[in-house]
Amino acid sequence: MSECIVEVNNLSFTYLHRKQQVLKNINLKIREGEFISVIGPLGAGKTTLLRSFNGVIPYHFPGRLEGDVIVTGTMNTRKNDILTLSRYIGMVLDNPSTQIFNLTVEDDVAFGPINLGLPFDEIEERTKYAIKALRLNGLEDKHPRELSGGQQQRVALAGILAMRPRLIVLDEPISMLDPIGKSEVLSSIKELNRKYNIACVIAESGSDLEEVIQLSTRSIIMKDGEIIFDGPPSDALATGYLEELGIGVPQIAELFKKISSRIGEKLRIPVTIQEAAEGIRKLINEGKIKLNAEKIETHKELFKEEIAASKYIEREPIVVAHNVWFQYPNGTVALKGVSLTIHKGELVAFIGQNGSGKSTLALTLSGALKPTNNDATIIVDGIDAVNTDTTKLITHINYVFQNPDMQLFSANVYEEIVFALKMQGLKPAEIKKRAEEVINMLGIKITKKQIIDLTKDMKTLVALASVLVLKPKVLIVDEPTSGLDRKSSITLMNIFKELRNRGYTIIFITHDMKLVYENADRVVVMNDGEILLDGTPRQVFSQVDILKSAYIKPPQITQLAYALEELEIPTTVYKVDEFLELFDFEARSSSGGIEEHKEEKNEEESGDE
Amino acid sequence: MPVMFEYAPRNTPIHRMNPLAKTIMLVCMFTLISLYWDLRYLAILALIAAIIYIVSKTPPKWMLLSIPFGAYRFIEASILGLTQGEEAFAVLGELAGKVLFQLGPYYIFGYQIGPLTLIYGGFHWALAYIFRIVIVMALTFTFIYSTSLNDLIKSLTCIKIPSQVIYILIVALKFVPEIWREFYLTSLAQSLRGWKLKTKNPVKLFKMAAPIVNPFTRRIISYVDRLSLTVQIRGFGATKVKYPWKIHFSVFDWAISILSVVGTAYALYLLFMFGMGTI
């Protein structure tokens, strides 16, 4: 058996000045070469657990620690500080830009070995080794600011790797990255684990579950500071805990669970698209499921109708932008002649890589940035946004920034919400009325709570409310689910849908494709300052090859259809139920299965109602 | 495209110089500038600065900044020049007292105001100020444009500056632009909620700045906390830091450094012994 790197015995922890235990009696062993995903919602204790491995808890974040964490069999984290443990356990945080502080890539990678007081030759050797392992060759002399998010996170990883740790703990390392960044970083982590046999523990709250679980050899599910599951990733998906916690499971897992229920046979839950494709082929070969040609034709017809409907639908435009160019003072051309019409009551998603122009376009539409070409026109709710002062536009179109900490400043929630109304010089009665309206609409119940005590999801909600009180007809929200777990993200999306139903037009910028295809009415794909694709989620996500060129992954179901090319499954499917509808299922062998199917069918019917 | 007042990697002789050699050259030049008042000598230094500026390909438009500074200092120096007596000038002698311009005297309610007299010495002194400003700015801009901060810091480590000081510098250099970006975005976020600084009253101004100051302060604290965690994770302070970087002086660097030091020493000798460069 491989060597145990970290052994956690009866670990409990309570942060200083807090009453609630964040970790409760945790027992865990991490062995060499393992890749462990620690899954749980916000507040489950994932980050605290990871911080306990290298002494960050209790040295950097003090509190009451019970039990022990033993590193490499000999070092108790109670007796060895972070600096000593840093030789064995590396840590990568979520935001790459705050982890790199040297002025070139090479110096940042060398920072750890220099601090270890190693001989110069060894520093050089380790730096080169880490740069090569993380595929950063050619970027050695670059300033971190010149790198993309994914490259920056790889630099952070290289800096840790150069210290030759036995275990790397990664706290949601891809949550702030764009799709290409996520893919770059995950493939690097995978390589470090497989090629260099470094154990990895990665915390995940749901947004990137399908990516992370593919790499894992073991999964741990946490709830309220406790480990409720510890075992193979496939079993973790099968348990039902993830649905219970509001995290949900990847589409292919959901698909196999439903197939399993319909055929009345327990199936292994796949974690990769390849496994899922093989599973489907096997089920077809065994005659348990069968593609129905008629249903495929029906689906194709429906798709044609959807395209036709979306093309000719006549809805009143609320934002009309024509030939918008924007160049930043440093010369970067962020928008290249963008023309776009947004209609009233649409829920639109802007997607694309970092630097593709999404935020610049959104800020330009909101009037916060003005186009740099003279012939650009932006009409918002009948107002010329190019030649109108931003402060006069805020009741027509407004923008909620990605990080709520950027705008929250008041003593409590209520004060924060009414700030914009006070700035408008409204009468107290009107302020009260509008604030209450928004508070009720968003279901905010803690109006007297101090801002500093709010959780991330509540801060996001308060930031949204503090802009929504202005009643802008168009609301642009920049990466609203960044840093939130799946459950909070879904809640927020439901709020957006509710706002849309009340007549608001919502534009949200995101890297979370699952949220896009589950919620958006329309998707605008940006690439290099231009609109690459614009249409319904089905229209956009069926363009698998074009999306690949922009490094955007379509939904897993679309990827599965693509992988099953020989079966001629249309790539326009992107929902699990749509995929299932294309198949016929064999008569079930167990009554349990039939009952389950009945339940499932009842659920579907009640959902339709 | 270079951003204003930021290093840009170019292949000029000045860019290729070691930052320490450049620092030595600049210190020598600044020493002479701070002591010379004679326009002829300052003109020679200005010529050298201009050559360095052109050779380094520093953007000429940066020098536009010297106009408001120069104008302000010229007015200030002219006012001070008015008060200079002939005896303040050692070399110009009687010429220093030559009146170029006189206002008054005026008599208001029996009180005499003036005369205000601008003498040749005072004018010369004011002009010298302009020269000094232009030369200092030209050399500073050249240094900024041609010196990688990273190289500069590495050079500082070679002269045994403590690692703690070095990392304070590094962190400051890394985070100052990011902090400015945060500040800009915070202001933008608040302006989209209708916030605007509408008063000149300092007390009200202080109160109205809360929407910017509070989130900004929180962000800075969060940055500092994150930074302190990150440096610990990466073993900063685990051992006494020995840097692998070594000082690399080319022949050109040596030549410029020696020339600067010897030239300055000789100029100082002439200045203090024979008054060359004073007025």
Side-chain angles (χ1 to χ4, degrees):
Chain A
M1 183 169 270
S2 48
E3 194 190 335
C4 180
I5 300 169
V6 172
E7 188 177 346
V8 182
N9 296 321
N10 305 317
L11 183 73
S12 297
F13 185 74
T14 311
Y15 282 103
L16 192 68
H17 305 309
R18 296 285 161 103
K19 287 176 186 164
Q20 206 179 352
Q21 271 193 335
V22 189
L23 295 178
K24 295 170 190 167
N25 200 31
I26 303 281
N27 287 288
L28 183 69
K29 278 183 182 175
I30 299 165
R31 298 183 189 285
E32 203 169 28
E34 276 193 308
F35 196 117
I36 304 173
S37 48
V38 181
I39 309 161
L42 286 178
K46 307 181 297 293
T47 300
T48 309
L49 178 63
L50 264 57
R51 285 171 178 173
S52 71
F53 297 162
N54 62 347
V56 168
I57 276 173
Y59 292 103
H60 190 82
F61 297 103
R64 192 156 55 86
L65 183 80
E66 293 164 55
D68 294 297
V69 179
I70 312 293
V71 176
T72 63
T74 53
M75 286 182 291
N76 192 319
T77 57
R78 288 173 180 280
K79 293 171 189 163
N80 294 275
D81 61 8
I82 304 172
L83 298 177
T84 312
L85 295 166
S86 65
R87 292 168 187 266
Y88 306 93
I89 298 179
M91 187 175 215
V92 177
L93 307 170
D94 54 352
N95 189 348
S97 68
T98 54
Q99 294 172 85
I100 309 168
F101 42 88
N102 282 275
L103 300 171
T104 69
V105 168
E106 192 175 36
D107 291 343
D108 205 76
V109 177
F111 181 74
I114 289 173
N115 290 330
L116 296 180
L118 300 170
F120 296 159
D121 291 344
E122 193 172 347
I123 292 172
E124 202 177 344
E125 185 269 317
R126 285 188 179 206
T127 307
K128 282 183 180 164
Y129 154 84
I131 284 175
K132 192 181 167 198
L134 272 301
R135 302 191 299 274
L136 293 165
N137 298 77
L139 302 175
E140 292 91 335
D141 294 326
K142 292 260 182 193
H143 190 288
R145 203 171 39 197
E146 297 170 50
L147 307 179
S148 68
Q151 286 172 331
Q152 286 185 20
Q153 195 63 295
R154 282 194 284 143
V155 173
L157 267 169
I160 295 297
L161 181 66
M163 295 175 80
R164 302 260 162 95
R166 308 278 301 278
L167 166 72
I168 299 181
V169 291
L170 306 112
D171 193 1
E172 308 220 20
I174 57 169
S175 63
M176 299 182 85
L177 304 181
D178 56 13
I180 186 173
K182 286 178 200 283
S183 134
E184 277 177 14
V185 171
L186 283 177
S187 69
S188 299
I189 296 171
K190 186 179 170 184
E191 198 170 305
L192 292 183
N193 174 249
R194 309 257 159 99
K195 198 169 164 187
Y196 301 93
N197 206 31
I198 296 170
C200 294
V201 179
I202 187 165
E204 175 53 46
S205 59
S207 303
D208 301 301
L209 181 63
E210 58 186 54
E211 312 279 345
V212 170
I213 208 147
Q214 289 181 22
L215 307 178
S216 310
T217 55
R218 178 179 158 195
S219 290
I220 289 171
I221 303 177
M222 288 189 75
K223 182 190 174 188
D224 300 333
E226 288 176 284
I227 292 178
I228 56 170
F229 173 86
D230 185 352
S234 176
D235 292 356
L237 295 174
T239 55
Y241 284 133
L242 297 175
E243 290 94 330
E244 192 187 297
L245 292 169
I247 292 171
V249 292
Q251 276 190 321
I252 49 171
E254 189 188 337
L255 175 75
F256 273 72
K257 280 184 167 189
K258 287 191 171 174
I259 295 175
S260 184
S261 152
R262 290 199 183 182
I263 64 172
E265 183 185 321
K266 196 177 176 189
L267 299 173
R268 188 187 172 275
I269 305 296
V271 292
T272 65
I273 299 293
Q274 290 72 25
E275 280 178 25
E278 279 162 25
I280 295 286
R281 284 190 196 106
K282 193 177 164 214
L283 287 169
I284 292 173
N285 290 339
E286 288 170 355
K288 288 174 183 164
I289 60 172
K290 198 175 133 191
L291 261 176
N292 185 319
E294 203 177 306
K295 287 178 180 174
I296 289 177
E297 279 313 306
T298 314
H299 175 86
K300 284 178 182 170
E301 283 304 313
L302 277 173
F303 177 55
K304 275 182 198 164
E305 279 171 26
E306 187 178 310
I307 291 177
S310 66
K311 251 186 190 171
Y312 300 110
I313 206 161
E314 285 298 329
R315 271 195 284 186
E316 199 182 331
I318 190 151
V319 180
V320 182
H322 180 68
N323 193 30
V324 178
W325 287 76
F326 188 85
Q327 183 173 14
Y328 283 100
N330 69 357
T332 307
V333 183
L335 296 177
K336 298 172 181 171
V338 172
S339 296
L340 178 74
T341 301
I342 306 281
H343 301 94
K344 265 186 188 171
E346 272 186 324
L347 180 56
V348 186
F350 282 3
I351 61 172
Q353 299 302 323
N354 285 344
S356 60
K358 307 181 298 294
S359 296
T360 309
L361 176 61
L363 284 166
T364 313
L365 295 179
S366 70
L369 298 177
K370 301 293 179 191
T372 46
N373 59 322
N374 294 328
D375 56 341
T377 55
I378 301 174
I379 307 295
V380 178
D381 196 21
I383 296 169
D384 176 6
V386 178
N387 299 307
T388 307
D389 188 61
T390 314
T391 50
K392 288 177 184 158
L393 283 171
I394 59 176
T395 52
H396 299 273
I397 186 166
N398 215 314
Y399 188 99
V400 182
F401 280 78
Q402 180 183 350
N403 192 338
D405 283 329
M406 212 169 261
Q407 69 181 69
L408 305 182
F409 71 95
S410 302
N412 62 45
V413 171
Y414 186 80
E415 285 301 316
E416 192 67 52
I417 292 171
V418 299
F419 172 73
L421 298 174
K422 284 183 179 172
M423 286 289 112
Q424 293 285 299
L426 298 181
K427 289 178 182 166
E430 176 67 13
I431 290 176
K432 197 178 170 204
K433 188 184 150 207
R434 283 221 210 168
E436 279 173 3
E437 208 174 293
V438 168
I439 287 166
N440 292 334
M441 198 193 299
L442 301 187
I444 298 171
K445 289 170 188 154
I446 41 160
T447 51
K448 296 291 169 202
K449 196 164 184 177
Q450 288 194 343
I451 295 288
I452 205 157
D453 292 333
L454 297 181
T455 53
K456 179 80 196 287
D457 52 339
M458 274 313 296
K459 279 185 182 173
T460 307
L461 215 54
V462 173
L464 182 67
S466 67
V467 171
L468 207 56
V469 283
L470 290 167
K471 292 190 172 175
K473 288 179 182 163
V474 184
L475 187 64
I476 305 173
V477 197
D478 196 349
E479 296 197 38
T481 58
S482 170
L484 299 187
D485 61 13
R486 192 88 213 144
K487 197 175 180 181
S488 312
S489 303
I490 291 168
T491 307
L492 198 62
M493 281 296 145
N494 288 336
I495 288 171
F496 288 166
K497 285 189 204 166
E498 178 57 27
L499 290 173
R500 177 197 56 190
N501 295 342
R502 289 177 183 233
Y504 286 92
T505 303
I506 311 284
I507 300 171
F508 66 103
I509 300 169
T510 188
H511 291 310
D512 188 336
M513 294 308 126
K514 200 169 179 184
L515 287 181
V516 175
Y517 61 73
E518 281 175 354
N519 300 287
D521 299 328
R522 179 175 163 196
V523 186
V524 175
V525 185
M526 296 286 297
N527 190 39
D528 195 22
E530 291 174 297
I531 293 176
L532 185 69
L533 289 169
D534 181 1
T536 62
R538 193 186 305 284
Q539 286 172 309
V540 167
F541 288 119
S542 62
Q543 307 290 324
V544 179
D545 289 326
I546 300 177
L547 289 176
K548 264 187 190 170
S549 70
Y551 297 93
I552 291 171
K553 278 188 181 172
Q556 277 195 326
I557 286 296
T558 315
Q559 290 180 58
L560 180 61
Y562 205 71
L564 294 167
E565 211 177 358
E566 77 279 7
L567 301 178
E568 293 181 2
I569 296 174
T571 53
T572 47
V573 287
Y574 70 101
K575 290 180 179 169
V576 173
D577 290 335
E578 282 176 1
F579 192 92
L580 284 171
E581 276 167 21
L582 305 177
F583 289 87
D584 289 328
F585 298 86
E586 77 161 4
R588 48 217 56 246
S589 52
S590 72
S591 60
I594 293 166
E595 288 306 316
E596 280 174 30
H597 180 53
K598 273 183 189 168
E599 278 172 23
E600 193 185 301
K601 209 170 178 186
N602 286 339
E603 271 174 30
E604 280 168 17
E605 279 167 7
S606 60
D608 290 343
E609 281 163 17
Chain B
M1 189 177 173
V3 178
M4 265 310 243
F5 310 121
E6 202 173 51
Y7 163 72
R10 304 286 290 265
N11 189 22
T12 72
I14 308 296
H15 278 77
R16 287 195 297 271
M17 276 175 74
N18 186 293
L20 277 184
K22 265 185 266 189
T23 309
I24 292 168
M25 182 177 77
L26 253 67
V27 167
C28 291
M29 292 279 281
F30 288 156
T31 308
L32 292 178
I33 291 162
S34 65
L35 294 169
Y36 281 166
W37 286 101
D38 190 324
L39 290 177
R40 290 169 299 173
Y41 293 94
L42 284 169
I44 293 168
L45 290 177
L47 183 68
I48 296 170
I51 292 168
I52 294 170
Y53 197 89
I54 293 164
V55 169
S56 69
K57 294 183 179 168
T58 308
K61 68 175 179 184
W62 288 18
M63 282 308 290
L64 292 175
L65 195 69
S66 66
I67 295 172
F69 277 97
Y72 167 73
R73 289 297 285 165
F74 183 72
I75 294 165
E76 189 190 29
S78 298
I79 293 166
L80 288 170
L82 293 171
T83 61
Q84 299 284 343
E86 184 186 318
E87 61 280 4
F89 300 95
V91 178
L92 289 174
E94 284 182 12
L95 187 63
K98 189 180 168 189
V99 176
L100 294 177
F101 182 75
Q102 183 172 320
L103 275 176
Y106 301 107
Y107 294 92
I108 300 170
F109 303 117
Y111 293 101
Q112 182 184 338
I113 297 173
L116 295 171
T117 312
L118 180 61
I119 58 170
Y120 178 77
F123 180 67
H124 197 113
W125 193 66
L127 269 184
Y129 249 117
I130 303 291
F131 261 100
R132 286 169 156 204
I133 285 168
V134 172
I135 298 167
V136 167
M137 287 181 110
L139 291 173
T140 309
F141 291 157
T142 306
F143 188 78
I144 292 170
Y145 188 72
S146 65
T147 312
S148 147
L149 292 169
N150 203 45
D151 292 344
L152 177 66
I153 284 163
K154 283 181 182 175
S155 302
L156 290 177
T157 61
C158 299
I159 52 171
K160 307 292 178 201
I161 304 276
S163 63
Q164 286 82 353
V165 177
I166 295 293
Y167 276 99
I168 288 170
L169 271 176
I170 290 175
V171 166
L173 291 169
K174 166 78 170 62
F175 284 103
V176 166
E178 284 185 24
I179 284 167
W180 275 114
R181 187 177 159 272
E182 291 283 335
F183 186 79
Y184 166 73
L185 287 175
T186 305
S187 314
L188 191 59
Q190 303 301 27
S191 70
L192 286 171
R193 294 165 75 195
W195 174 86
K196 215 176 197 178
L197 278 178
K198 296 171 191 165
T199 179
K200 286 175 184 166
N201 178 331
V203 178
K204 281 186 181 171
L205 195 74
F206 183 74
K207 281 184 182 170
M208 288 188 74
I212 301 291
V213 174
N214 291 5
F216 185 62
T217 312
R218 256 201 329 265
R219 300 278 293 159
I220 299 296
I221 292 168
S222 153
Y223 257 135
V224 172
D225 184 55
R226 179 62 77 99
L227 193 68
S228 88
L229 175 61
T230 312
V231 292
Q232 284 183 78
I233 289 168
R234 297 179 65 189
F236 187 61
T239 56
K240 198 176 176 204
V241 170
K242 282 178 273 176
Y243 291 100
W245 308 314
K246 285 173 191 160
I247 209 162
H248 291 294
F249 256 44
S250 65
V251 177
F252 186 64
D253 290 328
W254 281 116
I256 292 289
S257 304
I258 292 167
L259 197 67
S260 301
V261 173
V262 173
T264 306
Y266 185 60
L268 291 177
Y269 169 75
L270 293 176
L271 178 77
F272 290 122
M273 297 305 291
F274 304 103
M276 279 179 73
T278 56
I279 52 174

